[in-house]
Amino acid sequence: MSALPSDHIAPEARETASRERREKLKRFLTDWQAVTGLVLVVLFFASALFAPWIAPYDPNAMDIPARMSGPSWAHIAGTDQLGRDTFSRILHGGRVALYIAALGVSASLTIGLILGMIAGFGPRWLDNLMLLAFDAVRSFPSVILALATVALTGPSLTVVLAIVILTTIPSYGRVARTATLALRHTEFILAERSLGASTPRILLHHIMPNVIGPLLILAAMEVPVVVSIEAGLSFLGIGVLPPQASWGTILNEGYLVIRDAPWMVIAGGIPLILTTLGFTFLGEALRDIFDPRMGRGK
């Protein structure tokens, strides 16, 4: 029996791949959690990116006669104890959250990917050393680490970013290591090694494309964790410093006057809740579509 010509195989493969993509897109669009998560994530990005144009007031502009005013047409989320518009501060606080999430997640994903592949593809002693480092960082409380760092350097947005990157690297490193261990003894990797391919070439061209997918799904689910870390540190006064707006500082300021102006805490907590739900729903939907073995049994 003669083999099929290559010009017949390629169109069939492309058609199969196209059909699989359409099926995945259909599953995504028919999943209410996926659509809800996507809408919330898009809303988060849009409100943060366009905050200077959406915000009705300068987030730091004080209007003392209107201090601690309740929600109204002029201030839909009320004002704080200095008369600053809470809604405008929430929108600009989203820019801080987006900055920390974008830089923190991308940096920790990149570093974790590299370290995880090195651990999974390297010798046993290096693998054990990497695991020990991951466990040591993961077991150290982020708040204690932040307090120790702030005592030496003082509070700043740079400190928050450094804490976020350091404490989230192990999550990506462990996933990358596990995926690399599963691939290192496969036939195509052994064939590349027998042909004399260097370790960096194998990691870059063969291991990384097969590892990056699960890490991107993990990144989507790690964004609310990173945002919560930033908000928590700012709430404790060791993150973003006033007068810069942050969801954590808004919650901290609202907590001090919660009996007289409860709307500040409510307004500051809503974006945290919606962001967490959005990225969690989106991450779970992507995981179910691209890794059915870990799905919800649909």
Side-chain angles (χ1 to χ4, degrees):
M1 180 180 292
S2 60
L4 290 174
S6 59
D7 57 345
H8 288 283
I9 296 176
E12 291 180 1
R14 286 195 294 268
E15 177 61 28
T16 301
S18 177
R19 186 167 57 251
E20 290 179 354
R21 286 194 295 268
R22 289 195 299 268
E23 180 64 25
K24 289 178 179 179
L25 179 61
K26 180 180 178 181
R27 287 180 57 194
F28 184 89
L29 295 178
T30 55
D31 186 341
W32 71 268
Q33 287 193 6
V35 175
T36 302
L38 180 62
V39 170
L40 292 176
V41 168
V42 170
L43 183 63
F44 166 68
F45 276 98
S47 62
L49 292 174
F50 300 107
W53 296 275
I54 300 175
Y57 301 95
D58 183 333
N60 297 322
M62 294 183 289
D63 184 5
I64 299 301
R67 61 187 297 270
M68 296 176 64
S69 299
S72 63
W73 288 112
H75 304 281
I76 61 174
T79 61
D80 62 9
Q81 60 270 44
L82 296 177
R84 297 173 297 188
D85 183 64
T86 303
F87 180 66
S88 298
R89 292 182 61 77
I90 288 173
L91 291 175
H92 282 267
R95 294 175 68 85
V96 174
L98 178 60
Y99 171 79
I100 293 294
L103 287 184
V105 170
S106 59
S108 56
L109 186 151
T110 302
I111 298 172
L113 171 63
I114 294 172
L115 295 180
M117 290 193 303
I118 292 174
F121 206 78
R124 185 63 179 270
W125 66 266
L126 182 59
D127 183 27
N128 292 333
L129 183 62
M130 289 288 189
L131 283 179
L132 180 62
F134 290 158
D135 291 340
V137 172
R138 198 64 176 173
S139 62
F140 204 82
S142 57
V143 174
I144 302 299
L145 180 61
L147 289 173
T149 306
V150 168
L152 297 175
T153 64
S156 67
L157 195 59
T158 303
V159 171
V160 175
L161 184 59
I163 298 298
V164 163
I165 294 174
L166 182 62
T167 55
T168 54
I169 285 176
S171 299
Y172 301 101
R174 278 191 164 276
V175 173
R177 169 190 172 271
T178 302
T180 302
L181 284 174
L183 291 169
R184 67 176 297 176
H185 296 301
T186 53
E187 293 183 358
F188 74 97
I189 296 297
L190 295 176
E192 285 290 327
R193 299 183 71 170
S194 65
L195 292 173
S198 63
T199 297
R201 176 180 174 81
I202 293 175
L203 291 178
L204 182 62
H205 294 281
H206 300 286
I207 298 293
M208 189 175 70
N210 291 283
V211 173
I212 194 68
L215 289 185
L216 293 177
I217 296 174
L218 177 63
M221 304 185 73
E222 282 284 312
V223 168
V225 176
V226 171
V227 172
S228 297
I229 292 175
E230 182 276 320
L233 295 179
S234 298
F235 179 84
L236 294 175
I238 55 178
V240 177
L241 293 177
Q244 186 175 11
S246 164
W247 292 344
T249 56
I250 292 172
L251 287 172
N252 177 270
E253 294 165 355
Y255 176 75
L256 298 176
V257 294
I258 190 170
R259 293 183 181 274
D260 300 316
W263 52 84
M264 288 179 59
V265 173
I266 296 174
I270 287 176
L272 275 173
I273 295 173
L274 294 180
T275 301
T276 300
L277 288 176
F279 279 98
T280 301
F281 285 170
L282 183 61
E284 288 185 352
L286 293 176
R287 181 195 62 189
D288 294 345
I289 292 173
F290 292 99
D291 193 356
R293 294 170 300 176
M294 298 180 63
R296 295 186 294 254
K298 293 182 178 181

